[in-house]
């Protein structure tokens, strides 16, 4: 049984409460550990005072042993606190994810990117149908945080797919929806990280790192770095057991090692600064990839995303560990000591090169495919949050049939649905009606739901079946001062684009809202008439919204290829009432006279 949207909102509220409680509990535990650290520090001071005041006997030996206990305990607590800090960071991201879903379902804008960067008035439909930008379809759908995910979602919303691709994506989205409860963990692992940093790491792995690490592939260098810890240990042991001469030898030896690092500092820095500080980020991405690996997926679309036979998450964890070790150089004291004793930076570079030779290609592919999972999760989340919406049937033969279809960006409380279908053969449908009666919204309702259908998502309808069309729209035509383009010239450019597309793609579907607004009424009618007849001759299905009743009269000359529909108004006691329902035939009631009267102008 499907949950209602009210139940879904309640479920998100409960999850928000649960995660908030876990965060509070974790914070209390961290505070307790902080007090324990203070206690251990005070205990260490006490033992040190006892050591200074003790005689050289068994008691002094016991104090020396006790002096080490707070140090070990302190180290364990620091490790535990670090783990809890990472856990609380993750829980905060998970809280954000749940809170964002609650927000979206309660009319608050989505916290993910709204796709404004992908806006283009030159695209055949994305600007007119509100696909990108503020209050857009992309803004409703997007749950992608990675660059690849956002670009892939934008690409699929803006391109005409093949039927088989749509069906494969539908199957993948439905499978993803069965795991929707776990997808929030996936999203939390990706959210909040530096997106540009991961892009930098991918670029480094793909085209730069191999060349940058070439300096550590010298066999003699590798051998020396491998034996350095043993040499250092031997000299230190000799210095402790024998005499001060070995301390002098150790000092010279450590200086030589520091010089060894300094001479290669530029090459080491070039490698480090592409990865430094990325350990936490890579751990998050590794956890996200591990999430994709742990399921036995069945849909071919998802299975095709896995290129490696070995778990890539393990490989990324290994890279993260190397980078975490490399980050030790950020502490000047620790880094200097490690380089002097172990040639630490060179050791990390050698380990990184060994990893690069065996794992980098699989990792790049897996990191890129995280975006594919994000995109599918975006669509599956829509399906989960809108249980009343349906997945459309995609047909091979010419078809568009809808039942109670509504605009997905209009709130359910005020949304008005309509039923509409095309005949078995293409027609041009003239839609007349008053201002504000719903003509433009209906055109956008059809168009935006077609885009949803083609991306593999559910649509805002009780039922929908359609074939694959190339959508072309003509709605918001603007002039351009920068390009010295008048409104009329902009309209002509748009018409030219549509005509070219109609000729090149016989599966074009056209949505036009009030054509040729930038010219006189006579030319507007004649231009609209010839354009309608061009579409009829090309057998191109179209919806043509207009105030011009003369266009409805074209039905007399094109009885089988032109249909009339309208949106009307009811006038009671001088007031207008709209029902926003599509009806057969041309409109007979208009509201211009009433609207003009309201501003003090009366038509005779």
């Amino acid at each position: 049984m499907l949950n209602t949207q009210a139940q879904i909102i309640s479920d998100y509220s409960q999850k928000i409460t649960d995660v908030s409680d876990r965060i509070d509990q974790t914070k209390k535990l961290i505070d307790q550990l902080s007090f324990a650290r203070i206690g251990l520090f005070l205990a260490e001071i006490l033992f040190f005072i006892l050591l200074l005041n003790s005689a050289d006997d068994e008691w002094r030996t016991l104090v020396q042993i006790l002096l080490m206990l707070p140090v070990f305990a302190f180290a364990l607590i620091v490790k535990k606190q670090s783990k809890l800090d990472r856990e609380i960071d993750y829980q905060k991201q998970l809280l954000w994810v749940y809170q964002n879903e609650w927000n979206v379902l309660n009319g608050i804008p989505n916290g993910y990117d709204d796709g404004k960067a992908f806006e283009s008035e030159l695209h055949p439909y994305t600007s007119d149908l509100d696909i990108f930008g503020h209050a857009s379809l992309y803004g409703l759908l997007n749950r992608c945080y990675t660059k690849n995910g956002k670009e892939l979602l934008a690409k699929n919303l803006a391109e005409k797919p093949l039927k088989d691709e749509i069906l494969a994506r539908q199957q993948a989205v439905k499978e993803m929806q069965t795991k929707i409860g776990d997808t929030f963990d996936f999203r939390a692992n990706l959210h909040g990280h530096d997106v540009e940093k991961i892009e930098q790491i991918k670029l480094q792995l793909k085209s730069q790192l191999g060349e940058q690490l070439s300096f550590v592939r010298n066999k003699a260098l590798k051998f020396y770095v491998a034996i350095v810890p043993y040499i250092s240990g031997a000299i230190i042991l000799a210095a402790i057991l024998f005499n001060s001469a070995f301390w002098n030898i150790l000092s010279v030896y450590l200086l030589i090692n520091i010089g060894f690092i300094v001479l290669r500092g530029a090459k080491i820095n070039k490698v480090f600064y592409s990865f430094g500080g990325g350990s936490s980020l890579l751990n998050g991405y590794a956890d996200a990839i591990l999430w994709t690996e742990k399921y036995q997926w069945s849909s071919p679309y998802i299975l095709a995303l896995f290129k490696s036979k070995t778990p890539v998450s393990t490989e990324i964890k290994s890279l993260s560990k190397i980078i975490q070790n490399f980050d030790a150089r950020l502490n000047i004291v620790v880094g200097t000591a490690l380089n002097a004793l172990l040639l630490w930076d060179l050791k990390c570079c050698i380990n990184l090169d060994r990893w690069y030779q065996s794992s980098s290609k699989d990792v790049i592919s897996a990191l890129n495919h995280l975006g594919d999972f994000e995109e599918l999760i975006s669509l599956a989340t829509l399906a989960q949050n809108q249980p009343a919406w349906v997945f459309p049937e995609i047909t091979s033969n010419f078809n568009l049939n809808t039942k109670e279809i509504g605009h997905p960006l209009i709130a359910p409380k005020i949304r008005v649905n309509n039923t509409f279908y095309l005949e078995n053969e293409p027609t041009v449908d003239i839609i007349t009606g008053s201002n504000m009666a719903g003509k433009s919204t209906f055109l956008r309702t059809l168009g935006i739901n077609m885009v949803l259908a083609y991306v593999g998502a559910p649509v805002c309808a009780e039922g929908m079946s359609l074939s694959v069309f190339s959508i072309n729209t003509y709605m918001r035509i603007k002039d351009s001062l920068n390009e010295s383009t008048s409104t009329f010239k902009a309209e002509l450019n748009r018409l030219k684009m549509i005509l070219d597309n109609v000729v090149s793609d016989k599966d074009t579907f056209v949505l036009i809202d009030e054509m040729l607004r930038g010219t006189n009424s006579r030319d507007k009618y004649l231009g609209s008439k010839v354009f309608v007849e061009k579409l009829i001759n090309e057998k191109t299905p179209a919806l043509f919204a207009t105030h011009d009743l003369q266009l409805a009269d074209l039905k007399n000359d094109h009885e089988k290829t032109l249909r009339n529909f309208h949106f009307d108004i009811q006038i009671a006691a001088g007031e207008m009432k709209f029902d926003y329902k599509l009806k057969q035939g041309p409109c007979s009631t208009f509201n211009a006279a009433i609207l003009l009267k309201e501003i003090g102008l009366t038509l005779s």
Side-chain angles (χ1 to χ4, degrees):
M1 181 179 178
L2 290 175
N3 290 330
T4 65
Q5 196 171 79
Q7 290 172 320
I8 292 170
I9 293 173
S10 176
D11 185 49
Y12 284 131
S13 296
Q14 185 59 52
K15 285 180 167 63
I16 290 168
T17 301
D18 293 343
V19 175
S20 298
D21 289 343
R22 286 201 297 272
I23 290 173
D24 290 339
Q25 291 169 6
T26 306
K27 285 181 177 179
K28 289 178 181 178
L29 184 55
I30 290 174
D31 291 340
Q32 291 170 0
L33 291 175
S34 296
F35 285 120
R37 286 170 60 175
I38 294 172
L40 288 170
F41 179 72
L42 294 175
E44 183 72 4
I45 294 174
L46 176 61
F47 290 143
F48 186 73
I49 293 172
L50 289 174
L51 179 66
L52 292 177
N53 292 282
S54 61
D56 192 7
D57 53 15
E58 293 180 358
W59 169 247
R60 183 180 181 86
T61 303
L62 178 60
V63 172
Q64 287 175 329
I65 295 172
L66 292 174
L67 197 64
M68 300 302 298
L69 294 180
V71 175
F72 287 121
F74 190 89
L76 290 174
I77 288 177
V78 168
K79 185 176 180 180
K80 176 66 174 177
Q81 255 189 322
S82 178
K83 183 178 179 181
L84 290 175
D85 285 336
R86 291 193 298 272
E87 175 64 20
I88 206 168
D89 286 342
Y90 166 78
Q91 293 295 339
K92 285 179 179 178
Q93 299 304 329
L94 186 60
L95 177 62
W96 187 94
V97 170
Y98 286 135
Q99 185 67 61
N100 186 64
E101 293 306 321
W102 188 93
N103 289 346
V104 171
L105 290 177
N106 284 278
I108 301 171
N110 186 2
Y112 287 90
D113 184 16
D114 65 6
K116 185 173 178 60
F118 304 109
E119 286 182 320
S120 172
E121 292 183 9
L122 300 179
H123 190 273
Y125 62 80
T126 58
S127 179
D128 286 340
L129 298 182
D130 301 308
I131 304 301
F132 302 118
H134 176 68
S136 66
L137 181 61
Y138 188 97
L140 174 68
L141 291 175
N142 184 32
R143 301 298 187 274
C144 304
Y145 195 74
T146 68
K147 181 180 178 183
N148 273 49
K150 289 185 283 189
E151 290 179 348
L152 181 62
L153 179 59
K155 173 179 175 292
N156 287 327
L157 287 171
E159 293 184 359
K160 176 186 177 183
L162 299 174
K163 175 190 172 186
D164 289 344
E165 293 173 351
I166 301 170
L167 295 177
R169 286 170 58 79
Q170 273 192 3
Q171 182 184 1
V173 171
K174 290 176 182 178
E175 182 176 14
M176 189 66 71
Q177 191 182 356
T178 64
K179 299 172 175 58
I180 199 69
D182 292 334
T183 62
F184 302 109
D185 293 320
F186 174 89
R187 288 164 55 186
N189 279 314
L190 293 179
H191 190 265
H193 291 299
D194 185 348
V195 175
E196 292 305 317
K197 183 67 176 180
I198 199 67
E199 292 302 315
Q200 181 183 353
I201 289 175
K202 287 196 294 185
L203 177 63
Q204 183 82 341
L205 293 175
K206 183 178 180 181
S207 59
Q208 299 173 357
L209 187 60
E211 182 181 346
Q212 291 174 354
L213 287 170
S214 60
F215 76 99
V216 297
R217 294 179 190 143
N218 182 285
K219 290 184 179 180
L221 175 65
K222 285 184 176 181
F223 176 75
Y224 180 62
V225 172
I227 65 172
V228 158
Y230 302 103
I231 296 174
S232 298
I235 297 175
I236 291 172
L237 184 62
I240 293 172
L241 296 177
F242 298 107
N243 56 52
S244 60
F246 283 98
W247 289 112
N248 295 331
I249 293 172
L250 179 63
S251 299
V252 174
Y253 178 70
L254 297 181
L255 287 174
I256 291 172
N257 283 346
I258 292 295
F260 207 67
I261 293 292
V262 171
L263 288 174
R264 291 160 179 77
K267 294 179 179 179
I268 293 171
N269 288 338
K270 188 175 289 187
V271 174
F272 173 76
Y273 286 117
S274 295
F275 290 94
S279 176
S280 174
L281 177 148
L282 283 171
N283 274 325
Y285 276 67
D287 288 337
I289 291 175
L290 178 62
W291 182 90
T292 70
E293 295 170 340
K294 71 179 182 180
Y295 294 109
Q296 295 294 322
W297 302 100
S298 60
S299 61
Y301 186 92
I302 296 179
L303 291 174
L305 301 178
F306 294 95
K307 305 297 183 183
S308 175
K309 296 180 180 179
T310 58
V312 178
S313 57
T314 303
E315 296 175 354
I316 298 181
K317 288 282 188 182
S318 299
L319 174 61
S320 174
K321 184 66 176 177
I322 295 170
I323 294 172
Q324 188 176 4
N325 291 336
F326 216 162
D327 285 344
R329 74 199 306 262
L330 295 172
N331 185 308
I332 296 176
V333 175
V334 174
T336 302
L338 289 174
N339 278 317
L341 292 168
L342 306 173
L343 293 178
W344 189 255
D345 286 356
L346 284 172
K347 181 179 177 65
C348 289
C349 287
I350 290 170
N351 289 340
L352 186 58
D353 183 57
R354 189 180 298 118
W355 178 91
Y356 173 79
Q357 299 290 343
S358 63
S359 305
S360 59
K361 291 182 180 178
D362 290 339
V363 166
I364 294 170
S365 175
L367 288 174
N368 285 332
H369 282 311
L370 283 175
D372 294 82
F373 281 95
E374 282 187 303
E375 194 226 7
L376 291 175
I377 287 171
S378 295
L379 305 181
T381 302
L382 177 73
Q384 179 69 15
N385 288 351
Q386 303 294 343
W389 296 13
V390 298
F391 284 92
E393 177 188 358
I394 309 299
T395 63
S396 298
N397 298 327
F398 176 85
N399 174 41
L400 175 60
N401 194 321
T402 71
K403 180 182 178 183
E404 294 301 310
I405 191 169
H407 200 296
L409 302 182
I410 296 177
K413 291 180 180 180
I414 59 173
R415 182 192 300 145
V416 176
N417 300 333
N418 279 286
T419 295
F420 177 81
Y421 61 89
L422 295 180
E423 303 289 353
N424 293 331
E425 296 294 330
T427 58
V428 173
D429 298 333
I430 306 297
I431 303 177
T432 50
S434 299
N435 297 291
M436 305 181 296
K439 301 187 302 300
S440 301
T441 300
F442 178 69
L443 263 60
R444 291 191 176 93
T445 296
L446 277 183
I448 198 170
N449 277 288
M450 291 171 74
V451 173
L452 271 174
Y454 295 153
V455 82
V459 295
C460 181
E462 289 184 14
M464 185 177 190
S465 64
L466 72 165
S467 52
V468 182
F469 294 103
S470 292
I471 305 169
N472 279 238
T473 63
Y474 175 111
M475 296 180 184
R476 298 183 179 120
I477 309 299
K478 301 176 183 177
D479 59 1
S480 175
L481 295 177
N482 291 334
E483 298 177 7
S484 300
T485 303
S486 66
T487 300
F488 184 61
K489 181 62 168 64
E491 288 184 297
L492 293 179
N493 291 341
R494 191 72 177 186
L495 290 177
K496 173 88 167 48
M497 180 203 75
I498 293 175
L499 290 173
D500 289 344
N501 292 341
V502 164
V503 172
S504 63
D505 188 343
K506 295 303 180 182
D507 291 322
T508 299
F509 185 90
V510 180
L511 297 167
I512 296 181
D513 185 15
E514 206 61 60
M515 200 173 92
L516 298 177
R517 283 162 281 186
T519 188
N520 63 78
S521 59
R522 182 176 180 276
D523 287 345
K524 175 184 175 181
Y525 166 71
L526 293 175
S528 299
K529 176 178 179 294
V530 73
F531 189 80
V532 167
E533 291 175 338
K534 175 67 174 177
L535 294 178
I536 290 174
N537 291 335
E538 292 290 340
K539 296 183 178 180
T540 299
L543 271 69
F544 200 114
T546 181
H547 294 101
D548 196 335
L549 280 176
Q550 286 181 283
L551 292 176
D553 293 337
L554 293 176
K555 174 72 173 175
N556 298 328
D557 298 325
H558 305 280
E559 185 175 349
K560 293 183 178 181
T561 53
L562 188 144
R563 302 186 300 176
N564 277 312
F565 296 90
H566 73 276
F567 288 89
D568 65 9
I569 58 172
Q570 292 78 43
I571 301 175
E575 293 186 1
M576 298 176 294
K577 294 184 179 180
F578 301 95
D579 61 9
Y580 305 110
K581 302 297 288 186
L582 182 69
K583 301 176 181 68
Q584 295 279 346
C587 185
S588 59
T589 308
F590 291 87
N591 62 357
I594 298 173
L595 293 173
L596 288 170
K597 187 175 181 180
E598 287 184 356
I599 64 170
L601 298 175
T602 302
L603 297 181
S604 59

